[in-house]
Amino acid sequence: MSDGLNEGVVGDTAKLMFHRLIVRMLRRDPSLRERAKAAHARQAEQFAGWPFVREWQDLLDLPLGELVSKLISRDREMVRLRNTSPFYLAEGVDLGDYDARVRLRRAARRIVKRAVHATSSSEVDERNDGATDSAVGSTTNTQLTVLPTKLLK
């Protein structure tokens, strides 16, 4: 698509949306964390010595409340770590078929597009001294507060 959107931001938004769905699943079935740990153990064998292995181990060892909070955090650390999430590989976690993944990506694209539009159509915050946000910052955060509940069905 040539709509001028940053594909990295769209991808990060889709991963955040997926992890919000994971958080819902974790709240219903806390044993999902154990399945993610098993998937992580397989990743750890393959990527021994990589920093994300230790970082995910530390995250998976957190109390459930802290883990779910981190999974949907918008800080840079979690944006980076969602790229290597063991939840993608955990047994029982299914992104659905190709069409479901396309719907998730399209929903992420709509959210980013709204955030970019909101940024470009609103007045620049005086605190920024005339600088504009790049659709990764605060406007995206507010746009992500409501997500479609039936992305995968």
Side-chain angles (χ1 to χ4, degrees):
M1 287 188 176
S2 62
D3 53 11
L5 294 178
N6 181 321
E7 291 301 320
V9 174
V10 172
D12 290 342
T13 302
K15 290 175 191 125
L16 175 58
M17 293 169 71
F18 173 74
H19 279 80
R20 285 184 171 211
L21 295 172
I22 289 295
V23 164
R24 290 180 187 174
M25 294 170 70
L26 269 169
R27 287 183 175 144
R28 283 191 304 262
D29 181 10
S31 71
L32 174 56
R33 180 186 4 198
E34 297 308 314
R35 296 192 304 269
K37 284 182 177 182
H40 177 67
R42 293 189 305 271
Q43 281 182 308
E45 289 177 16
Q46 185 176 359
F47 297 102
W50 288 58
F52 78 86
V53 172
R54 185 76 203 127
E55 293 166 316
W56 270 108
Q57 184 62 50
D58 293 344
L59 285 171
L60 291 169
D61 288 340
L62 290 172
L64 187 60
E66 289 180 47
L67 174 62
V68 299
S69 179
K70 289 293 266 181
L71 288 176
I72 58 175
S73 170
R74 295 181 192 103
D75 65 28
R76 289 176 193 249
E77 172 191 9
M78 286 311 301
V79 169
R80 177 181 58 81
L81 284 173
R82 277 192 285 271
N83 288 318
T84 56
S85 176
F87 288 98
Y88 295 128
L89 306 172
E91 182 181 328
V93 174
D94 186 11
L95 278 173
D97 59 7
Y98 174 78
D99 291 334
R101 291 189 303 273
V102 168
R103 284 194 307 274
L104 182 72
R105 182 74 176 198
R106 285 181 181 158
R109 181 172 292 286
R110 284 190 306 270
I111 288 169
V112 172
K113 189 178 278 189
R114 276 186 256 147
V116 169
H117 178 67
T119 299
S120 64
S121 65
S122 67
E123 292 185 9
V124 175
D125 187 348
E126 290 179 29
R127 291 175 288 143
N128 289 336
D129 292 329
T132 57
D133 210 356
S134 65
V136 180
S138 60
T139 54
T140 301
N141 293 347
T142 58
Q143 294 294 322
L144 290 176
T145 56
V146 178
L147 294 176
T149 57
K150 290 198 164 196
L151 283 173
L152 300 180
K153 294 287 178 182

